[in-house]
Amino acid sequence: MDLWFHSIRICWWRVLFLMSVFQDYLSSMLDCPPTCSCSQTEIYCNKSDNGRFFPLLALQDTGSNGTSVDIAELFKNITSIHIENWTGLQTLRDVDMELYTGLQRLTIMNCNLRVIQARAFAQNPHIRYMRLEGVVFDCGCDIRWIQLWQQRGEAGLHTQQLYCKNGASKIRLHNMYIHNCDLPEISVSHSSVLVMEGDNVTVSCNGSGSPLPEVDWTVSGLHSINTHLSNVYWPNIHSINLTLFNISRDDNNFQLTCIAENVVGMTNSSIQLNVQFPPVILRLAEPEQRHDTCIEFTVRGYPHPKLRWFYMQKEILQNDYIRTDMDFYQDYLEGCLTFQNPTHINNGNYTLEASNPLGTVTKTVYGHFLMAPDMDEKVPSTPSDGDSGRPDEDTFGVSIAVGLAGFACVLLLVLFVLINKYGRRSKFGMKGPVAVISGEEDSASPLHHVNHGIITPCTLDAGPDAVVIGMTRIPVVENPQYFRHGHNCNKPTTRKSLDP
Ligand SMILES: *[C@@H]1O[C@H](CO)[C@@H](O)[C@H](O)[C@H]1NC(C)=O
Ligand SMILES: *[C@@H]1O[C@H](CO)[C@@H](O)[C@H](O)[C@H]1NC(C)=O
Ligand SMILES: *[C@@H]1O[C@H](CO)[C@@H](O)[C@H](O)[C@H]1NC(C)=O
Ligand SMILES: *[C@@H]1O[C@H](CO)[C@@H](O)[C@H](O)[C@H]1NC(C)=O
Ligand SMILES: *[C@@H]1O[C@H](CO)[C@@H](O)[C@H](O)[C@H]1NC(C)=O
Ligand SMILES: *[C@@H]1O[C@H](CO)[C@@H](O)[C@H](O)[C@H]1NC(C)=O
Ligand SMILES: *[C@@H]1O[C@H](CO)[C@@H](O)[C@H](O)[C@H]1NC(C)=O
Ligand SMILES: *[C@@H]1O[C@H](CO)[C@@H](O)[C@H](O)[C@H]1NC(C)=O
Ligand SMILES: *[C@@H]1O[C@H](CO)[C@@H](O)[C@H](O)[C@H]1NC(C)=O
Ligand SMILES: *[C@@H]1O[C@H](CO)[C@@H](O)[C@H](O)[C@H]1NC(C)=O
């Protein structure tokens, strides 16, 4: 009675679990089976239990926010499961393990385990160690896969003594021999196929062996319409023809995989599909300034098209200034026609030609790099009148000249005064002026001296149209605003302050 009730309870938890996986709104939380202790990464069941099913984290409706994503992660985080003295556990089924996708260690001790289904660990790629202590299997083809794992040394099984019961006698699994019980063999009709877009093609796969394997082509992700035709050549060949109709270019490089599987295990074999189609230019963009300037393109075609560029009816030969950089991704070619420091001379129409044995396409883009230099200069000068049309550099040059002349002037004056004053001290004569000069040179700008000097151009009676260089006036053709303000008089102003 207790056992029956317990099984019902576990079943109910499972139902609850499945419901919540498929219905996000059922908020739930995982709960540890009653005879186990659980942590984030481990389920440890060392109390006797007569449950017939593998322990599954049960679900408890808590009305909180758990989503199916979190549940999958909870299961995935379990890396270790230990089960001891579960007398009711006789069969480990494939569905028992499939949620624990992160499982690494499994221990089953002193249970009445007799069968582990062949696909039980299909979803547990990380399993590294399996300890099966006190397990006695039923000898037969169903556990032949464990014998193969043991022979191959997978999951540490080769270090353990495993047994199976053949009627009344218990033998080592190592010594079990089962007739007609082997991995399937597989043969496919091609190693690769080369077809044209729009063609039809049939490939064939034979899975043979006993037990007679299931055979199938995996076509998920395939774009072309396809049909499977299955045929069995008794006693031991299962053959499947896969026909693809109106083959799409999107299936170029697709791996057609055939899988043959029986209770002993799975084998597979693949055919590479190559689809030929004429080139297309998917993208040809206007020049874009990056590290260098780039006309970006994307071309598609198989076999990979050959690219040529034309400018003014002439093919562009690759050189240091213009070159093609590109990458291949499957049947895509992506890259740049790269220009180093292009100027207005490079402006014009650029034509890309892509060709493969199935065809040729061209596309043209107008490359606009820089304006012609004369156009560049006319723009600012047009609004001003004739005299003030000089470029910036001259203004700056005049200011510098004024500054330097003033500085020289002041320096001479200071020297003159100092020599007069200290000239008669023969031994230390040079010290004074040297110190003064070196001290002054610490300041950031040579024009600095002018403001601290005895005479600056500003303190002289300089009219708006004249500037003082040395002690003479020279007329200035520049805009007089540069020299109007006393404190700024030696700093060249920017052109912007000129504009009304
Ligand atoms: C089960 O394991 C826990 C912790 O590992 C331990 O404390 C407890 O004694 C064990 N129970 C039995 C019956 O061995
Ligand atoms: C449910 O989750 C959302 C965010 O995922 C959170 O804002 C909200 O408070 C949660 N509600 C409860 C009842 O936990
Ligand atoms: C699973 O483990 C990761 C890191 O190991 C942790 O960040 C995450 O919170 C865990 N998830 C759950 C549901 O415990
Ligand atoms: C498991 O069962 C055996 C006998 O069936 C018993 O001797 C042993 O103590 C049990 N172990 C635990 C951990 O309960
Ligand atoms: C599959 O088996 C049949 C029957 O023996 C044979 O005619 C055919 O060539 C085989 N095909 C392949 C791809 O091995
Ligand atoms: C591909 O098969 C379809 C349907 O059998 C047929 O109509 C079509 O003509 C075939 N195409 C080629 C290129 O053979
Ligand atoms: C499968 O295709 C091969 C040729 O590829 C053909 O000889 C064979 O008859 C086809 N099998 C079936 C069942 O249509
Ligand atoms: C073949 O596929 C192309 C697109 O992939 C489609 O335009 C064309 O109509 C298809 N041809 C047939 C006969 O179905
Ligand atoms: C094919 O078999 C290899 C090992 O034999 C395996 O790694 C691979 O995942 C299998 N491929 C498929 C699609 O099952
Ligand atoms: C570039 O091509 C366009 C049309 O494709 C044409 O109108 C234009 O005149 C061409 N420019 C030059 C400089 O050849």
Side-chain angles (χ1 to χ4, degrees):
M1 196 60 187
D2 189 21
L3 179 121
W4 175 81
F5 180 69
H6 192 73
S7 306
I8 290 288
R9 199 162 49 139
I10 288 174
C11 277
W12 169 238
W13 275 329
R14 277 161 187 263
V15 168
L16 212 60
F17 168 74
L18 288 175
M19 277 168 68
S20 82
V21 164
F22 296 113
Q23 303 173 359
D24 273 0
Y25 62 82
L26 182 70
S27 315
S28 21
M29 235 182 71
L30 295 172
D31 198 21
C32 195
T35 54
C36 305
S37 57
C38 302
S39 75
Q40 294 254 318
T41 58
E42 188 173 16
I43 301 176
Y44 194 88
C45 311
N46 62 354
K47 297 195 190 74
S48 284
D49 194 315
N50 44 20
R52 283 172 45 218
F53 297 105
F54 191 76
L56 192 69
L57 290 178
L59 291 164
Q60 226 177 32
D61 193 354
T62 60
S64 77
N65 242 354
T67 65
S68 61
V69 176
D70 294 331
I71 291 164
E73 199 179 308
L74 265 180
F75 274 96
K76 196 179 167 189
N77 276 5
I78 301 290
T79 57
S80 170
I81 298 179
H82 178 108
I83 302 170
E84 204 173 327
N85 282 9
W86 279 41
T87 50
L89 190 66
Q90 298 192 347
T91 304
L92 196 61
R93 299 165 310 162
D94 44 13
V95 293
D96 292 332
M97 304 298 302
E98 69 187 4
L99 289 169
Y100 299 107
T101 51
L103 190 67
Q104 294 173 13
R105 299 174 64 88
L106 175 67
T107 304
I108 298 180
M109 290 168 67
N110 302 326
C111 298
N112 285 330
L113 193 65
R114 300 210 300 260
V115 174
I116 303 180
Q117 287 186 353
R119 301 282 297 154
F121 300 108
Q123 308 299 324
N124 313 101
H126 303 294
I127 194 136
R128 285 203 318 260
Y129 186 73
M130 211 188 309
R131 184 165 161 214
L132 302 172
E133 197 171 291
V135 171
V136 181
F137 294 108
D138 288 332
C139 294
C141 196
D142 285 351
I143 57 155
R144 168 98 165 103
W145 70 272
I146 299 178
Q147 191 185 37
L148 291 178
W149 276 37
Q150 199 178 24
Q151 282 169 14
R152 291 200 298 258
E154 275 186 52
L157 288 176
H158 59 297
T159 62
Q160 299 166 46
Q161 292 291 355
L162 300 177
Y163 296 92
C164 76
K165 203 158 61 177
N166 194 0
S169 60
K170 188 168 110 174
I171 60 167
R172 286 175 61 181
L173 185 62
H174 192 71
N175 298 328
M176 178 181 85
Y177 178 74
I178 308 285
H179 194 59
N180 282 340
C181 179
D182 273 304
L183 269 179
E185 285 177 4
I186 199 163
S187 75
V188 288
S189 54
H190 308 71
S191 60
S192 69
V193 287
L194 182 62
V195 293
M196 302 282 266
E197 182 181 36
D199 276 357
N200 302 339
V201 72
T202 297
V203 292
S204 173
C205 173
N206 282 4
S208 58
S210 43
L212 184 71
E214 289 293 313
V215 181
D216 207 357
W217 287 99
T218 59
V219 291
S220 67
L222 192 69
H223 295 83
S224 312
I225 301 160
N226 57 84
T227 60
H228 298 237
L229 193 63
S230 165
N231 191 25
V232 173
Y233 301 96
W234 291 106
N236 60 2
I237 298 178
H238 192 167
S239 175
I240 297 215
N241 280 3
L242 172 72
T243 304
L244 308 179
F245 297 97
N246 191 16
I247 291 179
S248 155
R249 63 180 63 182
D250 295 327
D251 289 332
N252 189 22
N253 293 315
F254 194 88
Q255 290 278 341
L256 296 163
T257 301
C258 180
I259 292 174
E261 181 173 23
N262 66 12
V263 70
V264 182
M266 184 261 271
T267 11
N268 67 41
S269 184
S270 295
I271 296 178
Q272 163 97 15
L273 186 60
N274 291 311
V275 184
Q276 296 187 314
F277 56 95
V280 283
I281 297 173
L282 298 173
R283 177 175 148 83
L284 185 63
E286 284 176 8
E288 192 183 319
Q289 176 83 52
R290 298 181 181 171
H291 179 62
D292 288 321
T293 302
C294 158
I295 294 184
E296 197 178 278
F297 61 85
T298 305
V299 176
R300 199 179 170 194
Y302 192 82
H304 282 137
K306 191 173 173 300
L307 303 187
R308 300 204 298 168
W309 290 90
F310 294 91
Y311 174 66
M312 302 207 300
Q313 275 79 48
K314 278 212 295 256
E315 182 170 1
I316 299 174
L317 300 171
Q318 311 277 310
N319 56 43
D320 286 348
Y321 302 103
I322 306 184
R323 62 174 198 281
T324 311
D325 300 314
M326 62 183 171
D327 286 327
F328 295 87
Y329 171 70
Q330 294 180 352
D331 43 31
Y332 290 88
L333 274 73
E334 269 178 349
C336 281
L337 180 65
T338 305
F339 295 78
Q340 251 177 30
N341 304 322
T343 66
H344 65 282
I345 298 168
N346 299 98
N347 286 352
N349 284 342
Y350 286 82
T351 300
L352 171 61
E353 178 196 278
S355 56
N356 74 7
L358 302 175
T360 299
V361 283
T362 62
K363 198 165 181 175
T364 299
V365 67
Y366 181 69
H368 177 78
F369 296 95
L370 287 175
M371 296 245 217
D374 54 336
M375 285 168 71
D376 218 339
E377 278 190 8
K378 266 174 201 157
V379 174
S381 63
T382 31
S384 55
D385 46 33
D387 268 357
S388 57
R390 283 162 107 200
D392 259 357
E393 290 89 287
D394 285 6
T395 312
F396 190 67
V398 167
S399 308
I400 293 281
V402 169
L404 284 177
F407 174 61
C409 201
V410 168
L411 205 65
L412 277 174
L413 257 168
V414 168
L415 271 175
F416 181 72
V417 169
L418 287 176
I419 287 169
N420 264 345
K421 201 171 177 183
Y422 299 105
R424 283 165 217 125
R425 297 187 188 179
S426 54
K427 277 181 185 168
F428 307 104
M430 289 311 286
K431 270 200 174 167
V434 169
V436 168
I437 289 166
S438 66
E440 291 280 52
E441 277 179 352
D442 280 348
S443 56
S445 154
L447 300 181
H448 179 82
H449 296 285
V450 175
N451 290 330
H452 293 283
I454 297 159
I455 299 166
T456 75
C458 301
T459 59
L460 291 170
D461 182 25
D465 295 324
V467 73
V468 175
I469 293 181
M471 297 303 262
T472 55
R473 284 178 189 203
I474 56 165
V476 173
V477 287
E478 269 308 323
N479 191 313
Q481 276 181 344
Y482 282 123
F483 301 99
R484 257 188 204 148
H485 310 289
H487 290 295
N488 291 341
C489 65
N490 288 302
K491 286 186 198 162
T493 43
T494 60
R495 184 206 210 103
K496 263 183 189 152
S497 66
L498 252 182
D499 298 334

